[in-house]
Amino acid sequence: MNEYSVLNSRLPRIDAPLKATGLAKYADDLKFPGMLYATILQSPVAHARILNIDTSRAKKLKGVKAVITSKETGLIKYGVSPARYDETLFAHDKVRYVGDEIAAVAAVDQATALEALSLIKVDYQELPAVFDMFEAMKEGAPQIHDDYPGNLNAEVHQEFGDTEAALAECDLVINHTFLNKRQDAAFLEPHSCVAIYDLDGRLTLHTSTQVPHYVMRTVAMVLQIPVGNVRVVKPYVGGGFGPKCEATPLELSCAFLSRFTGKPVKMTYSREQVFLHSRARHQFFAEMSLGVRKDGTMVALKNKAILDGGAYTSFGIATVYYAGSLLGGPYKLKSMKYDGYRAYTNKPACGAQRGHGGVAHRAAFEQLIDRTAGELGIDPIELRLKNIMTAGDMTVNELDMSSLGMKECIEAVKEHSGWQNKKGKLRRGKGIGMACGFFVSGAGYPIYRSDTYHSTVVIKLSEDGGTAIVQTGSAEIGQGSDTTMAMIAAETLGISIDNVKVVSGDTDLSVDLGAYSSRQTLMTGHATREAAEQIRGILKRYLAQEMGCTEESICFSNGIVKFDGQPGNYDKLRSHYIKEHRGWTDQPSGEYLTFKEVARMTYLKDGTLVGTGKYKPPRLGGSYKGAAVGTSPAYGCSAQVVEVDVDLQTGEITIENMTDAHDCGLAINKTSVEGQMQGSLSMGLGECLFEEVKFDSRGRIVNPSLGEYRIPTALDMPNVKSIIVESHEPNGPYGAKEVGEGAIMPTIPAILNAIYDATGVRMNELPVTSERLFLALKKQEIA
Amino acid sequence: MKKIIKLTINGESVEAAVEPNRTLLQFLREDLGLTGTKHGCGLGDCGACTVIMEGRAVNSCLILAIQAHGKEIITIEGLAEGGRLHPIQQAFVDKGAIQCGFCTPGMILSAKALLDRNPKPTEMEIRTAISGNLCRCTGYQKIVEAIESASETIGSEEVS
C-alpha cells in the first residue's frame, strides 16, 4: 500500500492541459511591441583566416537596425568550464568550422535580416582543415587552436590499483574496440530567444534553455554587466537532452543587439542551425580490455577513449572524464585504468547529451562482458549477477552506491522477458541480448568551482491560505520537474496537488543549476521539501500556541489538521476564521480544521508566509585528479533485455521486444518515470540503428534535417515493458533518485548483444544500418 | 503583391491579405497569433506544424496560405469546447502522453484526423497515422495508448 497521499502515484502532469491545448508558450511564441528579428552570419568554410569583414552595405539596407561583429561585442572568452574558455561570441581572426559565427543582424523583419546577411562581405584565406579525430592528433595536422598543440583539447589519465599486474594474473583477458558516431539531440523545438534590454541597464532573456542559471552568468560575463542585472526566464522548452545546457551565440547576440537597439530582439535557429550549433553527442573510439578469473570474477578493466570534440570545448572536459569514471560500476572490479583524449577537429563542437560521456563506453563494456560470458560458457546474466554491486558498495574509483537495486533490475528483466526460455534457444536470425548501466542523480559539483547551493526554493502561501506557490529557478524541459516539485510540496505540506502552483525557470526566483545530469528530482526536490517543512513548522508553532498543544501532536494531511489523530477543540479558531471570511460562500464546515484556515490565521498574525529550502551535496568522491566528475549523492541503475529479428538476406533489423527495469528510488510519479524510461530507450535505439551526423570532404553537414538525419518514428519503436524498481535512496528526497539518463545506458549494448545472438556477428561500429550489418554478414559467410 | 484569402479557421471565417510566398504556418502563427501550431523544421519532416485541412492532417509549413483559400482548417486551438478538453486531449493528459509538449498539438491533430475517418483503429493504424509526427521524448508508447483510449471514449460517448 502507498504510504503517501500524493507521491508514488500516477497524477497527471500539471502542465499537460496547457500543452494539450496549444496554450503553453515556448520562446518562439513570444512577441513584444517593437520587436526586431535577428539572424547570425555563419562561416561557409571549415578553417580560414578572416582577412576582412565589411558590414557597410548591410548597415545601409532599409529596415536594418544593427549589425554587430567582434568589433562591437569585444573578445571576452567564454565556454562551459572556466578551465577551457575557448570561444568568443564572434570569430575575429579565424573561423574553425562550417557554422562558426561571424556577425549578427537585427532588422524589422526576418526577410530583411536575412537579406542583410547576404550583404556582409567576409574575405577568407582558407587554411588546411582536419575532420577526423585520429588525423587531428597526428604530427603535422592543421592546428586549430594555437594554445593546444597537437589539437589535444584535454587528456585524462587515471588508475586505481595496478591494472597491468592484475591483468597478468587473469585467466582470461579479452580486448574490444568500439566506435559510435556523432549524434544530434534532435529535440523538436529549435533554440529560440527574445532579449529585452531596458534603459536602466537590465536584461531580461526569455530563452529555450535547460540552465537559466548558467546562461545568466555567461551572458553577464560576456556583456560585462552585473549578474544581478540579468534575468533569464525559461518559457516551456521543447526538449533539451543536453545541448541546451550552455549559453548560445543566439542568446548572446540577441542580448547585444537589444542593448544596441533598445528594442526587444528575437532569434530562432533554423533546423540546419541546430545541427550546426550541435553541442550534442561526441564520437568516441573505445579500446578496452577486461580481465576475469575462470569462475567469471571480474578483476581488471583497461579503458582508452578518443573523442572527436569539434572546434571548441563546450562540455568536453566533463565528457572525457565521464567516459572513464562511469565504468567503475555496477560491477566490482579490483583495478581500473583509464586514458582519455579529446581532439579538436574542424567541425561543430560536441557537448553533453543524455547519458553524458557514458553511453558509448558503456556499450563497449557491456559487449565485452557478453563476449567474456561466451568465452567462459557462462550465461551473460549469471556473469553479471556474480559481479554485481549492491547498496553500500563503493566503486574502484570511489563512487558511493548508497542505494542500488541493480540485482533486482536484472532479475526483473530476466523474468519479464522470458530470458530462460529464449537465450540459446532461438533460431538463427532471432536473438536476445541484455545489458546494465547506471548514472548520476545530479553532478556532485557545479560546472564552475564554487560552494554555491545547487538548488534553493521559496514556497509562499497565498494570503487566503489556499494555495502554496513554489518558486524555483529549476528547468522544466519536458521531463516533468514542475510536477515533481508540486507533488513533493503537496506531500510535505499535507495538501492536495490542486492547491499547489509552481512558478519555475526564472533566475529571479531562486538559485538552481538547472536540468542536466539528472539532478532536478534529487536536488530541487530536497530544497522543495525543506521549504515546505519550514512552512509546516511555522503553521505548527502558531497552532500549538493557539491551541495549547505540542507541535508533535499536530499532523497535516489531505488538506486537514489532526491533533493526536483527533479533530481537537478548534472552535475559537474556526469562529474567528468565519467572522474574518464573511461574505464568502466557501466557509469551512467539516469535522476537521483545514490547512487553509490555519494558513489564513497564521498570515493574519505574521504576514506573508514564506518557507525557503536549499540543497548542496556533501563533499563527495576521492582526492585524485578529476575525482569530482562522476560523483553524485545517488545513482540510478537500469537493466534491459532486447529481442531482435534480423533478416539474414538484407541485414534489416526489427526490434521485437524491449524489457527495461530501472531503479529510481521512490518513484515520485510512476507515469513520468515510465515516460523517461521509454524515451531513453527510443533515443538509444535511434543511436544504435540509424543516427549519424555526416560530413562531406569540406566539413559541411550533409544531413542537417530531420528527414535525412533519421530519428525513431512510431513505426520504429516497439512497446516496451517498463518495470519500476524502487530501492530506498538515503540521500534522496523521500528516497527518490534519477531516471532520465540512466535508462539509456544499457539500450545500445543490449541491442548489439541481441544482434550477435541472432547472427554470430559482433557489431562494434554504429549505427548498425542494414547496409553495415549486411556487409558484416557477407564477410562472415566468406570467412 | 498581396492576395486576399478567405478561409474558415476553427469554425470562424477569416479574411486576410497575404504575400503569395507566406506559408500557412507563418500565417497562423505570426499573422493570427495561433501559436499552438509549432515550427520544428520548416521542411515537412517533423510534423510539429500539423493542422487539419478539409479533414486531412497536413504539414502547414508545406502549404502556402493562398492554397488554403476557401478551405476549412482546424488548429489545436479549435479542439477544446466550452472550457472542456476534447477527448483526445484529455486522453493525452491522463495517459502521460505529453512530456515537452512541442509535438503534442500536431500529434493530437493527426490522431483526430485518424479517428474522424477510422473511429476504431488498430495499433498499427495508429502508429502509421502518427508516423509523420516525430516525438523525441516519449518513445511513442503512451501516445499510442492515449489514442487507443480516446477512441474508446469517443465510441462510448457516441453510443450514449
Side-chain angles (χ1 to χ4, degrees):
Chain A
M1 206 196 100
N2 186 353
E3 60 177 297
Y4 298 106
S5 336
V6 182
L7 303 182
N8 210 217
S9 65
R10 290 185 176 278
L11 284 173
R13 290 171 60 121
I14 59 175
D15 55 358
L18 269 187
K19 288 175 172 175
T21 49
L23 297 175
K25 292 285 183 207
Y26 298 78
D28 191 50
D29 301 338
L30 304 176
K31 216 173 184 174
F32 296 86
M35 190 169 83
L36 302 175
Y37 296 81
T39 53
I40 296 189
L41 180 70
Q42 293 173 278
S43 171
V45 292
H47 200 194
R49 236 166 250 306
I50 297 175
L51 302 177
N52 188 42
I53 303 171
D54 179 2
T55 59
S56 56
R57 285 181 66 212
K59 279 179 178 159
K60 281 183 206 140
L61 184 70
K62 191 168 173 267
V64 169
K65 300 295 178 189
V67 181
I68 54 173
T69 64
S70 66
K71 231 192 261 174
E72 287 77 19
T73 62
L75 293 170
I76 306 274
K77 285 202 168 181
Y78 73 97
V80 173
S81 164
R84 287 287 191 292
Y85 281 169
D86 60 359
E87 295 187 64
T88 54
L89 170 53
F90 296 121
H92 65 111
D93 55 347
K94 253 180 44 150
V95 288
R96 296 182 173 87
Y97 72 98
V98 173
D100 218 347
E101 296 81 7
I102 297 161
V105 175
V108 290
D109 56 37
Q110 184 77 14
T112 308
L114 284 169
E115 195 187 337
L117 283 193
S118 69
L119 298 176
I120 299 174
K121 192 166 170 290
V122 185
D123 298 327
Y124 301 101
Q125 179 195 1
E126 278 205 58
L127 299 168
V130 60
F131 305 114
D132 177 85
M133 56 187 177
F134 301 106
E135 294 297 322
M137 290 168 75
K138 282 185 187 161
E139 208 168 308
Q143 281 296 296
I144 299 172
H145 291 267
D146 293 341
D147 297 344
Y148 296 93
N151 295 316
L152 190 59
N153 169 235
E155 62 182 308
V156 180
H157 303 284
Q158 294 175 339
E159 185 162 16
F160 310 95
D162 186 342
T163 312
E164 290 303 335
L167 284 172
E169 284 170 23
C170 287
D171 297 315
L172 175 70
V173 177
I174 297 183
N175 306 316
H176 189 66
T177 63
F178 181 80
L179 182 72
N180 78 325
K181 295 295 157 61
R182 170 187 288 246
Q183 219 187 326
D184 187 85
F187 35 76
L188 267 280
E189 181 211 16
H191 306 78
S192 177
C193 84
V194 184
I196 307 169
Y197 206 97
D198 292 340
L199 292 174
D200 58 4
R202 292 180 194 275
L203 171 71
T204 305
L205 193 61
H206 303 267
T207 183
S208 173
T209 183
Q210 298 174 237
V211 288
H213 174 83
Y214 290 123
V215 171
M216 171 187 73
R217 289 178 65 95
T218 305
V219 168
M221 184 179 84
V222 175
L223 268 78
Q224 296 183 279
I225 55 178
V227 167
N229 279 16
V230 181
R231 175 183 176 204
V232 175
V233 187
K234 179 208 65 65
Y236 283 109
V237 168
F241 311 112
K244 289 182 184 170
C245 272
E246 57 193 285
T248 60
L250 173 132
E251 291 157 337
L252 293 164
S253 299
C254 284
F256 273 113
L257 287 167
S258 181
R259 180 201 260 177
F260 290 137
T261 59
K263 303 272 188 190
V265 177
K266 181 200 258 190
M267 181 160 24
T268 303
Y269 276 159
S270 68
R271 180 54 63 179
E272 183 178 8
Q273 286 177 304
V274 173
F275 276 85
L276 287 176
H277 177 64
S278 180
R279 315 287 157 147
R281 175 117 48 232
H282 288 69
Q283 176 172 32
F284 297 78
F285 175 71
E287 213 172 72
M288 226 175 260
S289 310
L290 176 66
V292 296
R293 295 210 188 96
K294 239 184 279 177
D295 66 355
T297 306
M298 292 183 196
V299 179
L301 177 70
K302 202 164 75 174
N303 175 25
K304 182 181 159 188
I306 298 173
L307 280 67
D308 180 352
Y312 298 100
T313 304
S314 178
F315 261 91
I317 305 249
T319 320
V320 69
Y321 274 109
Y322 270 128
S325 66
L326 288 177
L327 291 192
Y331 311 107
K332 293 174 194 158
L333 288 165
K334 296 249 173 331
S335 62
M336 181 168 84
K337 182 174 192 297
Y338 174 59
D339 297 290
Y341 306 86
R342 184 178 189 270
Y344 281 122
T345 56
N346 290 112
K347 292 189 288 192
C350 294
Q353 188 169 324
R354 195 174 219 163
H356 190 187
V359 170
H361 283 252
R362 172 60 51 189
F365 189 21
E366 295 286 328
Q367 276 191 304
L368 190 44
I369 293 171
D370 219 54
R371 287 182 58 190
T372 305
E375 202 69 30
L376 293 172
I378 301 177
D379 180 278
I381 284 190
E382 293 313 314
L383 181 66
R384 286 177 171 86
L385 284 173
K386 186 177 172 59
N387 293 283
I388 210 72
M389 301 176 79
T390 54
D393 283 343
M394 182 89 89
T395 67
V396 69
N397 54 337
E398 298 180 60
L399 310 182
D400 183 1
M401 301 292 158
S402 39
S403 69
L404 195 73
M406 195 65 252
K407 181 166 170 278
E408 292 78 0
C409 287
I410 296 176
E411 282 164 352
V413 293
K414 182 180 177 185
E415 187 194 328
H416 288 272
S417 66
W419 176 270
Q420 212 91 46
N421 302 324
K422 292 174 182 164
K423 179 64 186 169
K425 295 169 187 158
L426 302 173
R427 68 160 172 80
R428 192 170 142 77
K430 291 217 176 240
I432 188 166
M434 80 91 58
C436 300
F438 74 100
F439 199 71
V440 302
S441 300
Y445 295 84
I447 291 169
Y448 56 93
R449 203 170 285 183
S450 167
D451 287 331
T452 181
Y453 284 100
H454 292 214
S455 290
T456 64
V457 165
V458 179
I459 299 181
K460 194 176 98 177
L461 295 188
S462 60
E463 49 103 20
D464 75 328
T467 303
I469 304 158
V470 180
Q471 303 180 344
T472 161
S474 64
E476 167 66 67
I477 58 165
Q479 84 283 40
S481 60
D482 279 0
T483 304
T484 299
M485 298 321 140
M487 290 175 77
I488 289 175
E491 181 72 44
T492 311
L493 291 170
I495 58 179
S496 157
I497 193 170
D498 297 337
N499 300 114
V500 179
K501 181 171 139 185
V502 177
V503 193
S504 68
D506 184 336
T507 52
D508 271 4
L509 297 176
S510 87
V511 173
D512 199 291
L513 300 186
Y516 70 103
S517 73
S518 293
R519 55 175 299 284
Q520 303 271 229
T521 295
L522 189 141
M523 299 196 182
T524 314
H526 265 303
T528 302
R529 182 179 181 167
E530 192 180 284
E533 278 170 349
Q534 210 178 82
I535 287 199
R536 212 176 52 190
I538 296 169
L539 298 182
K540 279 189 179 179
R541 270 195 297 285
Y542 168 80
L543 267 183
Q545 211 173 13
E546 290 293 314
M547 303 275 294
C549 63
T550 62
E551 288 179 33
E552 292 71 39
S553 68
I554 303 166
C555 174
F556 296 103
S557 122
N558 295 315
I560 57 170
V561 192
K562 289 182 180 170
F563 301 87
D564 284 325
Q566 299 301 315
N569 183 12
Y570 56 77
D571 291 350
K572 202 177 103 203
L573 270 180
R574 175 158 288 176
S575 53
H576 188 178
Y577 177 88
I578 288 175
K579 223 184 271 171
E580 146 76 22
H581 203 55
R582 238 184 340 240
W584 294 73
T585 54
D586 62 342
Q587 295 290 12
S589 59
E591 190 190 349
Y592 293 93
L593 192 64
T594 62
F595 180 92
K596 188 177 172 182
E597 286 169 86
V598 180
R600 173 68 181 171
M601 300 305 290
T602 313
Y603 158 75
L604 291 176
K605 179 167 176 285
D606 290 344
T608 296
L609 299 179
V610 174
T612 62
K614 60 193 181 308
Y615 179 80
K616 66 176 156 187
R619 217 201 96 69
L620 296 166
S623 53
Y624 58 93
K625 184 170 191 292
V629 186
T631 59
S632 176
Y635 296 89
C637 61
S638 178
Q640 286 162 29
V641 170
V642 171
E643 292 165 65
V644 299
D645 184 2
V646 176
D647 183 329
L648 297 166
Q649 302 303 312
T650 64
E652 190 186 359
I653 300 156
T654 308
I655 307 288
E656 295 196 312
N657 287 302
M658 300 177 105
T659 310
D660 177 19
H662 190 95
D663 168 21
C664 61
L666 179 93
I668 302 279
N669 186 316
K670 292 180 186 181
T671 307
S672 292
V673 168
E674 288 167 357
Q676 287 300 307
M677 292 165 70
Q678 292 161 8
S680 290
L681 266 64
S682 170
M683 190 176 273
L685 181 147
E687 184 171 5
C688 186
L689 299 184
F690 27 77
E691 293 184 32
E692 176 181 4
V693 178
K694 294 178 184 169
F695 293 83
D696 69 9
S697 62
R698 299 179 62 188
R700 295 172 296 199
I701 300 176
V702 298
N703 57 346
S705 72
L706 294 175
E708 287 164 283
Y709 180 89
R710 258 195 78 198
I711 67 169
T713 70
L715 293 170
D716 298 307
M717 264 311 283
N719 284 317
V720 178
K721 268 185 219 154
S722 312
I723 305 151
I724 301 174
V725 171
E726 293 177 292
S727 63
H728 180 80
E729 171 51 55
N731 299 326
Y734 293 102
K737 54 183 181 176
E738 76 82 40
V739 59
E741 297 183 81
I744 200 176
M745 288 294 172
T747 310
I748 296 169
I751 295 172
L752 295 175
N753 289 340
I755 292 172
Y756 175 78
D757 191 51
T759 63
V761 175
R762 186 58 74 181
M763 299 303 291
N764 62 351
E765 182 178 348
L766 298 185
V768 187
T769 56
S770 304
E771 184 187 1
R772 187 166 274 131
L773 183 55
F774 173 81
L775 291 173
L777 286 164
K778 283 284 156 211
K779 219 163 126 188
Q780 180 195 42
E781 250 174 52
I782 294 161
Chain B
M1 209 183 75
K2 284 188 176 176
K3 297 240 185 243
I4 302 287
I5 56 168
K6 285 184 196 175
L7 64 167
T8 308
I9 298 175
N10 300 328
E12 308 272 341
S13 45
V14 174
E15 191 175 334
V18 295
E19 292 290 347
N21 64 352
R22 201 142 182 82
T23 65
L24 178 59
L25 174 63
Q26 290 170 322
F27 177 63
L28 292 171
R29 282 182 59 80
E30 294 165 30
D31 299 350
L32 303 183
L34 294 171
T35 54
T37 306
K38 299 301 177 199
H39 180 157
C41 70
L43 298 168
D45 292 328
C46 77
C49 67
T50 302
V51 299
I52 297 178
M53 183 162 88
E54 299 291 299
R56 283 179 51 225
V58 295
N59 287 318
S60 62
C61 73
L62 295 184
I63 291 171
L64 294 171
I66 52 172
Q67 289 177 296
H69 176 67
K71 301 277 167 54
E72 196 175 327
I73 309 275
I74 300 172
T75 72
I76 193 67
E77 288 88 352
L79 251 60
E81 271 179 37
R84 238 184 99 211
L85 296 180
H86 183 279
I88 301 174
Q89 293 173 316
Q90 189 64 52
F92 269 62
V93 171
D94 294 342
K95 294 287 173 188
I98 301 170
Q99 288 188 30
C100 86
F102 206 76
C103 76
T104 305
M107 203 62 94
I108 287 175
L109 290 168
S110 285
K112 182 175 181 342
L114 168 71
L115 296 183
D116 283 349
R117 66 166 192 275
N118 178 3
K120 289 273 162 244
T122 62
E123 184 188 334
M124 190 43 89
E125 285 168 337
I126 292 173
R127 286 183 177 272
T128 305
I130 60 167
S131 62
N133 293 83
L134 296 176
C135 168
R136 192 58 151 171
C137 297
T138 65
Y140 303 101
Q141 190 159 332
K142 292 187 185 295
I143 293 175
V144 174
E145 284 167 18
I147 298 170
E148 281 170 344
S149 154
S151 137
E152 282 162 30
T153 312
I154 295 169
S156 65
E157 273 177 7
E158 275 166 8
V159 172
S160 61

